[in-house]
Amino acid sequence: MSATPVLELRGIDKSFGPVQVLHDVALSAYPGEVTALVGDNGAGKSTLVKCIGGIYPIDAGEYFFNGDPVHVHSPREAAALGVEIVYQDLALCDNLDIVQNMFLGRERKSGLVLDEASMEEMAAKTLDGLSVRTVKSIRQQVSSLSGGQRQTVAIAKAVLWNSKVVVLDEPTAALGVAQTAQVLELVRRLADNGLSVILISHNLNDVFAVSDRIAALYLGRMAAQVKTSDVTHAQIVELITAGRSGDLGLPNSNGAKP
């Protein structure tokens, strides 16, 4: 594991009018690791992800990529760095096939026509590199795919573009047991291939199954970022619901550590 995070945020603040959603948030994501971002509804997870992805501008704080300070003002700029986000709605088009979805908006051309052969080859190579075996044909329409297969296509689309950080927003939320297991295997494989993966999930069993680190948000503040092997389910639940657990977490109201 590299000692330098691929992605590092320091002191991130974000407000919407008079409402401050993020307070002095820090987050580090390392190559070859899965960092699980957990927190209750309204903790600020989605806002933080949209700041990472350039959808929301940050009000204050620093954004580092591979150790260098950067400024990200749009999703295009985030993608240029190597940050890809797979949102919960997956953003796939049912009436297009797998190849067309993977290259949507980034089609390859040969002269004036689409370079179908090149796109098919790249799509097949990407799916094969992720050891995806559940898709019969890369020319299947997405409307014919199961929930797990759709999630697989969305993840493959994200890693197709030489990404270094992949953020997955609740990838197993609507899946059954078998499909969840397939997607979690794929998440682990992404990290094993050297990518930095940020996994947002409410399912602590999934979190403990695949993550190397856990970052717990509480009311817009980072309560703790810890190695998964150093904590228990109960401690993470306490961090999510109260902001602290024993020696871990946010200071008490008097400023002292619990």
Side-chain angles (χ1 to χ4, degrees):
M1 188 204 76
S2 170
T4 303
V6 183
L7 173 72
E8 184 177 11
L9 305 177
R10 300 178 189 167
I12 301 298
D13 290 345
K14 180 61 188 174
S15 297
F16 297 96
V19 180
Q20 187 168 352
V21 179
L22 299 178
H23 306 258
D24 193 30
V25 171
L27 177 70
S28 299
Y30 292 85
E33 289 193 356
V34 178
T35 300
L37 181 61
V38 300
D40 214 344
N41 291 334
K45 301 186 301 297
S46 295
T47 299
L48 182 59
V49 167
K50 288 177 180 176
C51 288
I52 292 171
I55 294 174
Y56 293 156
I58 60 176
D59 298 335
E62 298 174 292
Y63 191 131
F64 293 86
F65 201 83
N66 283 331
D68 298 321
V70 295
H71 298 281
V72 176
H73 303 291
S74 69
R76 188 176 294 274
E77 289 183 7
L81 285 175
V83 178
E84 293 286 341
I85 300 177
V86 181
Y87 291 103
Q88 203 166 351
D89 62 6
L90 301 183
L92 297 176
C93 297
D94 281 355
N95 61 324
L96 301 179
D97 65 32
I98 291 172
V99 176
Q100 290 168 327
N101 266 284
M102 288 178 67
F103 283 88
L104 189 61
R106 296 171 172 176
E107 291 83 359
R108 303 189 72 168
K109 292 185 178 181
S110 178
L112 296 176
V113 298
L114 294 176
D115 189 348
E116 297 284 358
S118 172
M119 290 191 290
E120 280 191 15
E121 182 182 352
M122 285 184 67
K125 187 176 179 182
T126 301
L127 289 166
D128 191 52
L130 295 172
S131 300
V132 174
R133 302 284 182 262
T134 59
V135 175
K136 293 178 184 176
S137 166
I138 57 174
R139 284 302 184 181
Q140 267 185 276
Q141 282 209 328
V142 163
S143 59
S144 71
L145 301 179
S146 69
Q149 289 171 325
R150 286 170 183 246
Q151 189 66 246
T152 296
V153 170
I155 293 171
K157 178 181 178 181
V159 304
L160 179 64
W161 305 105
N162 197 28
S163 53
K164 297 178 178 65
V165 177
V166 178
V167 183
L168 304 174
D169 185 7
E170 297 280 1
T172 61
L175 303 182
V177 175
Q179 293 180 342
T180 294
Q182 290 171 3
V183 171
L184 291 179
E185 282 179 22
L186 181 53
V187 170
R188 191 63 252 174
R189 208 171 295 130
L190 294 178
D192 291 343
N193 287 348
L195 295 178
S196 175
V197 182
I198 298 175
L199 170 70
I200 301 168
S201 180
H202 281 97
N203 189 319
L204 290 187
N205 289 329
D206 292 356
V207 165
F208 275 84
V210 299
S211 71
D212 299 286
R213 297 173 191 263
I214 301 174
L217 276 173
Y218 174 72
L219 298 180
R221 301 180 189 275
M222 187 61 73
Q225 183 165 350
V226 293
K227 288 186 176 180
T228 306
S229 57
D230 291 344
V231 290
T232 65
H233 279 65
Q235 286 175 301
I236 294 301
V237 169
E238 288 179 351
L239 288 170
I240 290 170
T241 56
R244 59 181 183 267
S245 175
D247 293 333
L248 280 176
L250 298 168
N252 288 317
S253 56
N254 62 7
K257 275 290 202 177

